Amino acid sequence: MSGLRIGLTAIFLTIGGVLTAPAGLAAPASDTAPPVVEGITVTPDDVSVSGVDLVPVTVSVHLTDESGVEVVSGMDGVHLPHVTITRVSGGPAVTEGVELALTAGTARDGVWSATVQVPSTWKGVWAVSRVVAVDSGGRSLDIDPRNSPLAATLDVSGTHLPAVTMEFAPDPLVGDGRLTVRGRFFYQDTGKGIPDQPIFFGVDNSCVEHPGAPNGRTAADGSFSKVYPTADRSLRCVGILRPSNVSVSPSFVVAASRHPRIRPAVTATADRTSVPAGTKVTFTGTVKPAGETGVELQEQVDGAWRTMVDGTVPDKGRFTLAVTPKGAGGHQYRVVVPDPDRELVGASRTIVVQVAGSGTGGGDDPGTLPITGLPPVLPMAGGALVIVFAGIGLTLVGRRRRVPAGSVGR
């Protein structure tokens, strides 16, 4: 079966691996044994199914117990008595759960049964692989009957099998915007679409819990499309439903499921973009879609981005990261949500932070004198020498132009 494998193996409330009895129940003192399986039947045990049709098959277990088999619910909501059936050949090893109800006799000696609607996609041989029951004293039965005289099988001849394709647009989705789920239901042998077929769209838990009703329909060519105005990384599924044999789980004739690929949209701002050396700069911003994720503050060094600070973005999607730039000049920063898939790495715009000199006179900034605040010594000395040389030159010129004494009137 392609798509979603919604086979439920019961998980029950245990203490040290032993099923516990419901509160308030007590067994007769003479009852020290768990329920006993007297027989298992699958009727009919050989069926043919085509297309999206369903064929009913009854699974029955004959149970006896001195104090009586109890109908109870485990922590996962699955009801006991319960059996699982597993495909053992002819296709992927899929397990389906079946809850049983008393259909003949009594709780002490009775037949517990369920009707399973078998689809064509179950093509192959199936076997009852587990029987679980508990009595009023809390004693549990949990066996795999396949390698015993109790073994029971179902042979399904499936033809004209339905299949489904599913994709997202856009792929990847940037941020938490509009997401379209689209695809097509068709028959594998002919490639023709399955028209006007009721289908179910699910998100996250609804794909595996709480059976719903069809909420969509295929077009004349078997295609489908559903738009989600906002989206996140949650599982999306689509399928053709069939009656479920587990009260807490949906069942499908055929289904597909996928998580959308999302590149986070990251915004970031700095509390200051021009600072003296040694000053901390704080970056704040958001990540969409919201949800707890890792985030990194990176600086471009020698042409490569290097992580300076990392942290975690809470569920609300807001982050705060701080760094103290080292060295005068312009520092380039960005905030990144990393991902092994380079196409899904989310990054903010680049933010440039200008850092002034350290006040020591080194580097690109000559600085100022530590105490007086006057210009540096070397530039002052250079200016003084210029003035001195200029004065000497004027003195020499004046001497050349001086008229010798007594020369007037000669």
Side-chain angles (χ1 to χ4, degrees), residues 178-193:
R178 179 188 178 99
L179 178 70
T180 300
V181 179
R182 64 192 182 192
R184 182 170 175 262
F185 285 89
F186 63 97
Y187 293 110
Q188 294 182 27
D189 54 349
T190 65
K192 292 183 178 180

Side-chain angles (χ1 to χ4, degrees), residues 107-132:
R108 289 184 171 85
D109 185 354
V111 176
W112 300 76
S113 305
T115 298
V116 179
Q117 298 294 336
V118 176
S120 63
T121 47
W122 280 26
K123 179 180 179 180
V125 177
W126 295 68
V128 176
S129 56
R130 191 181 185 194
V131 180
V132 183

Side-chain angles (χ1 to χ4, degrees), residues 26 46 58 66 86 89 95-96 127 146 180 273 284 302 360 365 375:
D46 190 342
T58 300
E66 185 176 347
T86 301
S89 67
T95 296
E96 295 283 339
R146 284 178 288 185
T180 300
T273 56
T284 58
D302 297 328
T360 61
D365 184 354

Side-chain angles (χ1 to χ4, degrees), residues 1 33 78 126 167 197 231 256 271 274 282 292 308 310 322-323 355 358 363 393:
M1 183 190 303
V78 175
W126 295 68
E167 65 179 10
Q197 172 65 49
D271 64 341
S274 181
T282 300
E292 187 169 329
M308 311 306 291
D310 58 21
V323 67
V355 180
S358 61

Side-chain angles (χ1 to χ4, degrees), residues 339-372:
D339 193 281
D341 185 341
R342 294 174 62 89
E343 194 176 1
L344 302 184
V345 174
S348 72
R349 66 181 180 88
T350 299
I351 300 173
V352 178
V353 176
Q354 294 290 341
V355 180
S358 61
T360 61
D364 297 331
D365 184 354
T368 57
L369 289 175
I371 299 176
T372 64

Side-chain angles (χ1 to χ4, degrees), residues 30 52 161 210 239 314 324 359:
S30 59
V52 294
L161 304 184
H210 310 300
T324 301

Side-chain angles (χ1 to χ4, degrees), residues 8 11 24 87 102 105 118 251 264 295 308 313-314 329:
L8 216 102
I11 301 171
R87 180 157 49 193
L102 184 63
V118 176
S251 294
V295 67
M308 311 306 291
V313 181

